[in-house]
Amino acid sequence: MGNGDSLFFSRVLTELTLSFHIIYATIGVGVPLMIMIAQWVGIKKQDEHYILLARRWTRGFVITVAVGVVTGTAIGLQLSLLWPNFMELAGNVIALPLFMETFAFFFEAIFLGIYIYTWDRFKNQKKHLLLLIPVAIGASFSAVFITIVNAFMSAPQGFDLVNGELVNVSPLVAMFNPAMPTKVAHVLVTAYMTSAFVLASIGAFRLLKGSDHTYHKKALFLMMKLGLIFSIATAVIGDFSGKYLAQYQPEKLAAAEWHFESEKGAPLILYGVLDNGEVKYALKIPSALSVLAHGVPNAEVTGLNEFPKDEVPPLYIHYLFDSMVTIGMGMTALALVYVIGTWRKWRFVVSKWFRWLLVLGGPLSIIAIETGWWLTEVGRQPWVLRGILRTKDAATTSGHVDTMLLLFACLYLILGVGSVVVLIRMFRKNSVEQELEDRASEKAGDIR
Amino acid sequence: MTLEILGISVLGMFLFGYIIVASIDFGAGFFNAFSTVTGKQHILTKIIHRYLSPVWEVTNVFLVFFFVGMVGFFPKTAYYYGTTLLVPASIAIILLAIRGAYYAFTTYGGLKHKRYTILYGLTGLFIPASLSSVLTISEGGFVTMEKADPVLDYWALFTSPLSWSIVVLSLTAVLYISAVFLTWYANHAKDEAATELLRKYALVWAGPAIITAAGIIVEMKGHNPEHYQRLLDLWWLFALSVVLFAGTVYCIWKRRAYGLAFGLLVGQFALAFLAYGASHYPYLLYPYLTLYDSFTNQSMAIALVVAFIAGLGLLIPSLYLLLRLFLFNKEYVEGNRNDEHA
């Protein structure tokens, strides 16, 4: 097998691993915050339901963390196994955040273990809240550091390139690259948003499936409120990301928007198909791209034709962009309607069809996360380090990548099915009603 | 002390930490499975789970820490080892993944079945075997340069007596370390039946562990004479290590001071590890890669050391808290607390 095959299979394997990992990683970043908030609300309102909410979420969370940890280990090692030339070069500049990520992960792992195994050890619930804070901080910071590594790949800086060697390295400049603020912020808020909508969809599903317990209603309402806040934040940061792209990575924005000729007052193209270089059936919003890129309606936006042919990313990323933005907007609207509707007691927000929409919200948000990442990563092609190292020069020279791809595909299948089966079983067996009753009788009789 | 030495010492510490905690973990899984097959599960399962549950995730982090640090301090290792280790490392990742995930599934998800327990126990033996291939490769002789790219000769690796000796050593060491630790832990928990059983395991595995370790040194004579000579120069460290080994076996044999026995065991492995590492100096991959030509630039090295110190400042108190709440909490260890996860 030549390097061409290794390159192809390395790309597929990396994409597969990351696509699988980010489902669990996103939940891993967002859910601890939700658990912490639920615990806090429970303490503040002296409401047992929220404390129980925190615990039940944690129990499910442990399963997703396990899969997140092992697939994270996989991608961590695969970076060196599949892209040795990239790691050799980039490692000189970007090792610091990679290293710090493992510290954040370590920190989270320790406190998660403590929290789970001290369920009822302390009388004071505030102590349990204190244990959750490092879990949430560790989870978010590992996302921050790993996203910094990724941002560096889009906007490498903090070194000089002399004869193919990286010299005069300054790790901090590399970390605080121009792509970093928008990327980190976007990753964090979308992880919170997705986790909130996933948890909300569980609540909505339970309500649809017969349980009418206030526990689920509280969970649903709390998560939709948080989801609304984070989805608005996502939209705002998405706008900043557009401005970042226009300035630093115009070819990605142009490819995502099918913007070929540089022009002033550029329209934003939504949907449509590309047919022989011509955009058909698209929805055009006049001047919107100029606003997205520069904040003013008649600013000039660089078109794709300005770039050398071999530096243009694949044009299908437009569909990814559309999916991501559409789902984001849709979820913001859905959350807004639900929250206002609940306050004003509109009847339809408790109707079956609306609850089904809420159930859909969780999976849709995860799809948006996936398409968003594909957009980011494919939009950076043909570079692995933009402007410095092409993807084809970074891949391993080893054969056997195809066999490994097959093995890992089986692994992810097993882990995916296993985690879903286990999660469903866990919550079927032990319903909220049952658990609330158990806790009440425990307290009354003080069996322990 | 140069930054290179500091870097490799930091990594060495974490690798050693991983070897100890992972050995306990892998061995515990194996003994648990073994006791299921021999119908003695009721004696061991509880005690093993009580120890493993709060720490399994932390064990995993030690490994991640080691390889991220390795690539950080020595980026060229990503190129040499990354290219050559694709297959053995991928197999280790897959086994670790199945192991980690199914541990969580069975412990928290109620996926209880004998075959998972047995599978879990077996992966614990295959992982050290696949990971130890790194040690073998680092001795040189298995990697050749083709068109300036390193290529691993699998046939030579699979047929080399050295690589099999190292595999056997990793297995016996895993079982020995684990049995000694668990003996102490079971005794600490006042679980006499488990202590007796584990004590037996510890004594059974002590012999093979020390014999295979000695065997490696002999193997090295034929495989890498230069390294062998360096090993001999450090004979006194190995001798000291054997003395500590004798101390551990004596304590276990006499059924006393199990805590001290475990301490001596850690000392024994630390000395042997240090001697092996020092004799390997300055090569990371014989004869292509040394500590010095693979080292990262000055500013990154300093930044990593600073991050490392700051990180330890955060980790050591947290680890201490973890140990206090579980390992050294009498009520938890003895199982009198009912706060194992609901």
Side-chain angles (χ1 to χ4, degrees), chain B residues 42-244:
Chain B
H42 56 283
I43 307 180
L44 288 190
T45 300
K46 254 198 195 149
I47 201 89
I48 285 176
H49 273 256
R50 211 176 296 145
Y51 164 73
L52 282 185
S53 300
V55 299
W56 70 270
E57 217 187 340
V58 175
T59 306
N60 224 334
V61 188
F62 271 93
L63 176 67
V64 177
F65 206 103
F66 170 72
F67 71 70
V68 170
M70 194 75 199
V71 175
F73 277 106
F74 305 96
K76 274 206 175 64
T77 54
Y79 174 65
Y80 282 92
Y81 281 111
T83 309
T84 49
L85 284 178
L86 179 70
V87 175
S90 292
I91 291 172
I93 302 172
I94 289 172
L95 292 174
L96 274 172
I98 293 177
R99 187 181 165 80
Y102 273 84
Y103 182 76
F105 292 175
T106 50
T107 318
Y108 309 100
L111 203 68
K112 288 191 177 36
H113 197 284
K114 224 174 158 180
R115 67 168 173 266
Y116 295 125
T117 313
I118 293 170
L119 246 176
Y120 184 75
L122 286 180
T123 54
L125 296 184
F126 285 114
I127 296 167
S130 58
L131 287 178
S132 65
S133 65
V134 182
L135 277 182
T136 319
I137 291 169
S138 77
E139 288 303 328
F142 305 105
V143 173
T144 47
M145 300 302 279
E146 279 177 21
K147 284 186 275 175
D149 286 319
V151 174
L152 180 63
D153 184 347
Y154 287 97
W155 181 246
L157 186 67
F158 276 116
T159 52
S160 153
L162 177 69
S163 61
W164 289 107
S165 311
I166 291 183
V167 165
V168 175
L169 171 66
S170 71
L171 292 183
T172 52
V174 158
L175 295 174
Y176 175 57
I177 293 172
S178 186
V180 172
F181 173 81
L182 289 170
T183 307
W184 169 70
Y185 190 76
N187 182 54
H188 192 54
K190 298 207 173 75
D191 187 338
E192 277 173 31
T195 312
E196 275 306 304
L197 189 58
L198 288 161
R199 173 181 168 270
K200 224 189 297 168
Y201 292 155
L203 291 174
V204 165
W205 289 106
I210 199 81
I211 292 168
T212 45
I216 301 291
I217 300 183
V218 179
E219 287 285 342
M220 206 69 88
K221 188 176 180 184
H223 188 83
N224 185 340
E226 194 182 332
H227 192 179
Y228 175 71
Q229 197 49 50
R230 286 175 160 282
L231 279 170
L232 287 191
D233 293 345
L234 290 168
W235 67 270
W236 53 278
L237 271 176
F238 288 107
L240 218 56
S241 172
V242 172
V243 171
L244 295 184

Side-chain angles (χ1 to χ4, degrees), chain A residues 238-239 241-247 250-270 283-304 318 321-322 325:
Chain A
D239 180 63
S241 306
K243 292 179 175 47
Y244 159 78
L245 283 181
Q247 194 176 349
E251 74 279 11
K252 187 193 269 184
L253 183 69
E257 270 309 311
W258 289 344
H259 182 64
F260 298 102
E261 296 294 334
S262 295
E263 61 177 320
K264 288 181 179 171
L268 186 76
I269 295 178
L270 278 179
L283 198 68
K284 281 190 186 179
I285 310 173
S287 300
L289 185 59
S290 290
V291 175
L292 177 68
H294 300 288
V296 274
N298 60 357
E300 182 169 306
V301 182
T302 319
L304 265 187
H318 174 73
F321 183 76
D322 279 349
V325 171

Side-chain angles (χ1 to χ4, degrees), chain A residues 115-131:
Chain A
Y115 174 68
I116 298 171
Y117 284 88
T118 53
W119 257 180
D120 281 318
R121 199 184 279 199
F122 311 115
K123 277 266 175 294
N124 188 349
Q125 280 299 326
K126 279 184 188 150
K127 284 192 180 159
H128 294 284
L129 178 64
L130 282 180
L131 289 172

